[in-house]
Amino acid sequence: MIPAIPNDVQQAVLGYPEDAQGKLKEIRGYIFEEAERLNVAPLTETLKWGEPAYLTEATKSGSTIRMAWKKNAPEDLQFLVNCKTDMIQDWRSQFPNLRYQGNRAIHFRLDQPLPETQLRLCIARALTYHQRA
């Protein structure tokens, strides 16, 4: 079950353009569905650096996932993970067709469909990162 968005997160998301809000909500749904499927729920949904963030505080199984829309890259929604992990490096070798930023983010174009299968695999790996590390 996908919970209602907490008020503080909702307020931050309302500052994004409509197409970014739509993509964020789509990815948010995948995050909660994968957390449930992997038995790492419940998730903590909060703001980190003013951006929606998803943590496995209860199970401590994963690394924080964050999403952001930035004015300096208005055509993208960013999917961010801890830059001190090897997740992006791993995903880059598995999914070379995705657009990466250093070792911290995947960029998804707002005017294109999300690569659901690949994205769900990335989400699952982030939510279970500490189980493998």
Side-chain angles (χ1 to χ4, degrees), residues 103-115:
N103 60 350
R104 57 179 277 146
I106 303 172
H107 286 239
F108 297 107
R109 291 205 40 104
L110 298 177
D111 62 354
Q112 296 176 0
L114 290 168

Side-chain angles (χ1 to χ4, degrees), residues 14 17 39 50 93 108 124:
L14 288 174
N39 292 318
S93 66
F108 297 107

Side-chain angles (χ1 to χ4, degrees), residues 11-74:
Q11 290 307 307
V13 171
L14 288 174
Y16 293 175
E18 278 188 40
D19 50 356
Q21 289 180 41
K23 283 278 193 271
L24 184 141
K25 289 175 183 175
E26 189 176 351
I27 295 171
R28 179 183 182 271
Y30 298 161
I31 292 169
F32 278 97
E33 289 167 4
E34 290 300 310
E36 202 59 43
R37 182 182 71 79
L38 295 164
N39 292 318
V40 299
L43 295 179
T44 300
E45 183 173 18
T46 189
L47 293 175
K48 289 204 176 250
W49 299 280
E51 300 162 347
Y54 304 86
L55 299 79
T56 57
E57 280 186 318
T59 63
K60 306 226 183 291
S61 65
S63 186
T64 300
I65 295 170
R66 236 178 349 113
M67 289 188 281
W69 174 85
K70 304 281 187 183
K71 288 181 183 177
N72 64 351

Side-chain angles (χ1 to χ4, degrees), residues 50-98:
E51 300 162 347
Y54 304 86
L55 299 79
T56 57
E57 280 186 318
T59 63
K60 306 226 183 291
S61 65
S63 186
T64 300
I65 295 170
R66 236 178 349 113
M67 289 188 281
W69 174 85
K70 304 281 187 183
K71 288 181 183 177
N72 64 351
E75 68 284 346
D76 291 343
L77 185 71
Q78 298 176 16
F79 177 88
L80 301 114
V81 294
N82 186 325
C83 63
K84 295 181 180 177
T85 68
D86 61 358
M87 284 187 278
I88 295 290
Q89 179 182 343
D90 180 43
W91 300 342
R92 196 179 259 124
S93 66
Q94 271 198 293
F95 311 121
N97 62 314
L98 298 180

